[in-house]
Amino acid sequence: MVFVVHSMNKGLSFEEEPHKANLQHANISLEELASTDQLTGLFNRQHFNHVFKRELTRANREKTYLSRIILEIDFLENAMTTMAIVKIIEC
């Protein structure tokens, strides 16, 4: 159901969608899917870049330090295979 209100004086229109909450929920779900790895559930590089830019801006604004730690996982292929096996077993 869509409600449309027209203003006679200004020619403005206002539309109210009853499915707005569903749309907002779907958008949140899409953002989560776009920022996480499907296999591990960990945040991906896109999410890291977004958060890093936000935190760098905040650190500059507040004149504080920003630290970052980068970890390299050796044997990543083995870890990913193990995660895949765990996901298959859970299904």
Side-chain angles (χ1 to χ4, degrees):
M1 179 183 294
V2 176
F3 298 101
V4 180
V5 179
H6 294 282
S7 171
M8 299 294 273
N9 296 335
K10 298 182 182 178
L12 301 175
S13 66
F14 171 78
E15 295 185 14
E16 179 178 312
E17 298 280 343
H19 301 290
K20 188 174 183 178
N22 291 339
L23 181 60
Q24 289 173 340
H25 180 68
N27 284 335
I28 291 169
S29 296
L30 285 173
E31 286 179 22
E32 289 175 2
L33 286 172
S35 64
T36 57
D37 179 75
Q38 289 180 349
L39 181 60
T40 63
L42 299 174
F43 289 120
N44 61 19
R45 178 65 184 257
Q46 177 183 348
H47 179 76
F48 171 80
N49 290 342
H50 174 74
V51 171
F52 183 72
K53 182 178 179 182
R54 182 186 68 209
E55 293 302 315
L56 185 61
T57 302
R58 185 172 63 117
N60 286 332
R61 182 181 62 242
E62 296 178 4
K63 302 204 183 325
T64 60
Y65 295 104
L66 179 65
S67 298
R68 71 179 158 170
I69 299 172
I70 298 176
L71 302 174
E72 181 178 335
I73 301 174
D74 290 331
F75 307 110
L76 181 61
E77 185 176 339
N78 292 339
M80 294 300 285
T81 302
T82 302
M83 291 298 294
I85 291 170
V86 170
K87 288 289 184 182
I88 291 170
I89 291 170
E90 288 177 357
C91 293

